[in-house]
Amino acid sequence: MADKTGNTFDFKLLRRIMQYANVYKKTFYAVLIAAILLSFFATARPVILNFIIGDYIPNNNIEKFINYSSMMFLVLCLEVCFQFVFIFFANWLGQSIIRDIRIKLFHKMMHFKMQYFDNNAVGKLVTNSVSDIEKIAEIFSQGFFMIVGDVLKMLVVIIAMLFFDFKLSLYVFIVLPFILIATRLFQRAMKGAFKEVRKQVSALNTFVQERLSGMNIVQLFAREQAEYHKFKKINHLHKKAWIKTVWYNSIFFPIIELASSITVAIVLWNAGADAAYNYDTKYLGVIAMFIQMTQMLFRPLRQLADKFNTLQMGMVAANRVFEVLDTESKIIDEGTYVSEDIKGVIEFKNVRFSYIEGEEVLKGISFAVKPGETVAIVGATGAGKSTIINLLSRFYEIDSGEITLDGKNIKHYQLSNLRDKIAVVLQDVFLFAESIYNNITLNDDTIPLSTVKEGAKAIGVDAFIEELPEGYYYNVKERGTTLSSGQRQLLAFLRAYVSNPDILILDEATASIDSHSEQLIQKATAELTKGRTSIVIAHRLATIKKADKIIVMDQGKIVEQGTHQELLNLQEGYYKNLYEVQFAEA
């Protein structure tokens, strides 16, 4: 990768980016041809001007003056046309390529393991998906083709200079090596500066996104001033990184301007002396041509460094995007088994699992759930209750043991089929900034509004939805902030009901809600669990008394199993002690 090599420029990375242009070969070559022609048209202008000033104006050759003036006009028109082709299609190509990369990147992230998101900041991934991708587009619109065009223009100008006056060309070329050395040093310095810029942009994005998402916590604990000062520090580092790039630019560009002015002065001194000594007006045309060509040689060189900056920033951004694309953090989906009707027989056989290697969360647990049975899992925070759900849905891979569904290892199921048969209602309900209808169906066009309404009536949540200003088309805003926690929870139950799962999982779904919402949720729970295998993770033990079986966990192990009454009958039992504490508090 670009930032891991010691090279100023990583051609391997550029080749990888260019592979995405293979789909658009015609456009790519059209832009390249336009760049080549533009280099010839640009050089043709000072050459024509040379003949007009040197030959036709002093000799009063009106006919040739008009012909060459017309030729100059034609060249300018062609230059404008090909400039349009060059600019439009270079940008079109860049936008088409980043569209393809962005789709590929989003698809990749959609299939990452949950563990990847546990270890990577959301702000960083947003930077990768938005600003980094846009920088890649600039490789084509402002970087690669511009550099190719400028280099071709410089080569054609050098050839034209040598052809018309070898001696004057040498005077110009004397300064050229110093500019090339300065450009090389500038590029090297800018690469390191841009890497730092990208790092600080990512840090700033991550900080702002997290604080805006958790603004209620910031304000609740009166941390506004503390977070403000943290932001100032991060923002200062961001500014410092950009100032470094400005510093290099402020040194480099005046040097190029000075070198260009000195070269023009040398040309004027020598060519002017020859013209005065030989009394030859042809030298006037050569002087005018060389002044223009010197500018055409040095200006692209100056712009070349600027375009290289753009290219370099695009390369650094591409490197960051490819790091995500190259990340192998995907649940292996090699299962081919597809079941249309899952009975719901679940079995955990000596399952061990750790989020962090060497720190086991589940320590060889085994249990079975019969079809249509409601099993509750209870235990202290960190006992491993929610981990069981994550493993059943294959969000994480187990370290050892086996999990089976209807007697078949869940790894043998097609992943989409497995997850399609399981509905999970979490305590922390996530809603998108869309209508209630879209949040329930998750934009599944196969689920009509009538089905959603029938589901709402069945579980008793239709009344509160219809009371909202636009009913089922009411926009709940980001994360459902316009609704109460109880209302969000009810929508999560409706989402699960409409999906018609074979297996239902409720993870602390009745925690932190008011008594009215709890009554509605209890009704929804009864309707949802009817006739289907259900796993209920509960903190409040009063809500699981009717469960067919209760599994009690402690520190990653199953310590007790049985019905509510059976567990209460155990002397000095873990569940009995837990229940008595809650009952006393109540």
Side-chain angles (χ1 to χ4, degrees), residues 181-194:
I181 292 168
T183 303
R184 177 76 172 174
L185 294 172
F186 176 69
Q187 290 167 355
R188 230 175 239 176
M190 287 301 283
K191 180 183 178 181
F194 281 136

Side-chain angles (χ1 to χ4, degrees), residues 277-520:
Y277 182 77
N278 296 314
Y279 301 104
D280 192 346
T281 55
K282 286 184 179 181
Y283 276 98
L284 296 176
V286 173
I287 291 170
M289 181 182 70
F290 262 78
I291 289 173
Q292 270 201 332
M293 283 189 171
T294 300
Q295 294 294 331
M296 288 173 63
L297 184 63
F298 283 27
R299 190 179 297 115
L301 193 60
R302 183 188 65 191
Q303 292 174 348
L304 198 63
D306 199 27
K307 298 299 182 291
F308 195 89
N309 292 346
T310 302
L311 180 61
Q312 197 72 282
M313 283 197 77
M315 297 281 282
V316 172
N319 183 59
R320 290 159 58 92
V321 171
F322 288 144
E323 278 181 357
V324 179
L325 287 173
D326 293 340
T327 300
E328 290 303 324
S329 181
K330 185 179 178 182
I331 294 291
I332 299 170
D333 186 15
E334 295 178 347
T336 56
Y337 183 72
V338 175
S339 175
E340 294 301 324
D341 183 26
I342 289 177
K343 295 176 183 178
V345 182
I346 302 168
E347 191 169 0
F348 275 59
K349 301 176 182 178
N350 196 30
V351 173
R352 292 182 177 274
F353 172 75
S354 52
Y355 291 104
I356 301 169
E357 191 175 348
E359 299 179 17
E360 277 192 338
V361 177
L362 297 183
K363 302 170 182 178
I365 67 167
S366 299
F367 67 89
V369 183
K370 297 176 184 177
E373 193 174 46
T374 297
V375 173
I377 303 176
V378 299
T381 302
K385 305 186 299 296
S386 296
T387 301
I388 290 173
I389 295 171
N390 292 332
L391 297 182
L392 183 59
S393 302
R394 287 201 70 198
F395 287 140
Y396 299 85
E397 296 284 22
I398 61 176
D399 298 340
S400 64
E402 187 181 29
I403 303 173
T404 64
L405 180 59
D406 288 356
K408 188 177 288 291
N409 193 311
I410 60 172
K411 290 183 179 179
H412 298 156
Y413 282 83
Q414 194 178 86
L415 191 59
S416 58
N417 177 246
L418 174 69
R419 291 178 177 171
D420 188 49
K421 300 299 180 182
I422 301 172
V424 181
V425 180
L426 301 171
Q427 178 185 355
D428 184 19
V429 180
F430 188 94
L431 297 177
F432 297 94
E434 294 189 53
S435 67
I436 286 178
Y437 171 60
N438 287 340
N439 269 290
I440 299 306
T441 62
L442 296 176
N443 293 295
D444 186 346
D445 297 332
T446 63
I447 304 174
L449 180 60
S450 57
T451 302
V452 176
K453 286 185 175 180
E454 286 171 12
K457 287 178 182 177
I459 64 173
V461 300
D462 56 318
F464 105 81
I465 296 175
E466 289 173 355
E467 286 174 2
L468 296 170
E470 296 171 72
Y472 288 87
Y473 292 101
Y474 175 71
N475 191 311
V476 300
K477 306 302 180 184
E478 188 176 0
R479 300 182 70 90
T481 52
T482 58
L483 303 176
S484 69
S485 59
Q487 289 174 326
R488 291 197 295 271
Q489 198 68 263
L490 289 168
L491 293 182
F493 273 87
L494 180 55
R495 182 191 285 169
Y497 184 84
V498 168
S499 69
N500 192 27
D502 293 314
I503 297 170
L504 175 69
I505 298 172
L506 306 178
D507 186 1
E508 301 280 10
T510 57
S512 306
I513 54 172
D514 58 82
S515 57
H516 174 68
S517 296
E518 185 175 357
Q519 289 174 2
L520 291 173

Side-chain angles (χ1 to χ4, degrees), residues 202-240:
S202 179
L204 188 65
N205 285 348
T206 300
F207 184 88
V208 171
Q209 174 150 353
E210 286 182 348
R211 269 56 186 183
L212 290 178
S213 298
M215 188 56 70
N216 58 333
I217 299 297
V218 172
Q219 293 184 357
L220 189 64
F221 288 91
R223 297 294 298 169
E224 293 95 334
Q225 279 298 109
E227 296 301 328
Y228 170 70
H229 289 301
K230 280 185 187 176
F231 177 79
K232 282 180 70 175
K233 287 179 183 177
I234 293 171
N235 198 37
H236 175 71
L237 291 173
H238 179 263
K239 172 196 167 188
K240 191 177 176 182

Side-chain angles (χ1 to χ4, degrees), residues 20-39:
Y20 287 90
N22 289 339
V23 187
Y24 312 101
K25 282 183 179 178
K26 290 182 180 178
T27 305
F28 182 87
Y29 288 121
V31 176
L32 210 55
I33 290 167
I36 294 168
L37 292 174
L38 281 171
S39 64

Side-chain angles (χ1 to χ4, degrees), residues 18 43 52 58 61 76 105 115 139 161 183 221 268 274 286 322 398 465 473 504 539 574 580:
M18 289 300 169
T43 310
I52 293 174
N61 193 330
L76 286 170
L105 180 67
Q115 201 160 8
I139 290 176
M161 281 181 165
T183 303
F221 288 91
L268 282 171
D274 288 342
V286 173
F322 288 144
I398 61 176
I465 296 175
Y473 292 101
L504 175 69
H539 175 69
Y574 188 99
E580 286 175 352

Side-chain angles (χ1 to χ4, degrees), residues 143-284:
F144 176 76
F145 289 116
M146 291 287 189
I147 290 172
V148 169
D150 286 345
V151 169
L152 285 171
K153 190 184 292 182
M154 289 166 64
L155 287 173
V156 175
V157 166
I158 288 170
I159 292 167
M161 281 181 165
L162 290 169
F163 178 80
F164 283 99
D165 196 306
F166 185 79
K167 183 183 173 183
L168 279 182
S169 300
L170 292 180
Y171 288 131
V172 174
F173 299 157
I174 286 170
V175 184
L176 205 55
F178 297 102
I179 295 176
L180 291 172
I181 292 168
T183 303
R184 177 76 172 174
L185 294 172
F186 176 69
Q187 290 167 355
R188 230 175 239 176
M190 287 301 283
K191 180 183 178 181
F194 281 136
K195 280 171 60 180
E196 183 62 23
V197 165
R198 297 312 305 153
K199 177 184 172 184
Q200 296 306 328
V201 166
S202 179
L204 188 65
N205 285 348
T206 300
F207 184 88
V208 171
Q209 174 150 353
E210 286 182 348
R211 269 56 186 183
L212 290 178
S213 298
M215 188 56 70
N216 58 333
I217 299 297
V218 172
Q219 293 184 357
L220 189 64
F221 288 91
R223 297 294 298 169
E224 293 95 334
Q225 279 298 109
E227 296 301 328
Y228 170 70
H229 289 301
K230 280 185 187 176
F231 177 79
K232 282 180 70 175
K233 287 179 183 177
I234 293 171
N235 198 37
H236 175 71
L237 291 173
H238 179 263
K239 172 196 167 188
K240 191 177 176 182
W242 274 108
I243 291 295
K244 199 171 183 180
T245 67
V246 174
W247 167 254
Y248 290 138
N249 280 313
S250 64
I251 294 173
F252 177 72
F253 290 113
I255 289 173
I256 298 297
E257 284 294 335
L258 180 62
S260 176
S261 300
I262 290 170
T263 306
V264 169
I266 292 170
V267 168
L268 282 171
W269 178 269
N270 288 279
D274 288 342
Y277 182 77
N278 296 314
Y279 301 104
D280 192 346
T281 55
K282 286 184 179 181
Y283 276 98
L284 296 176

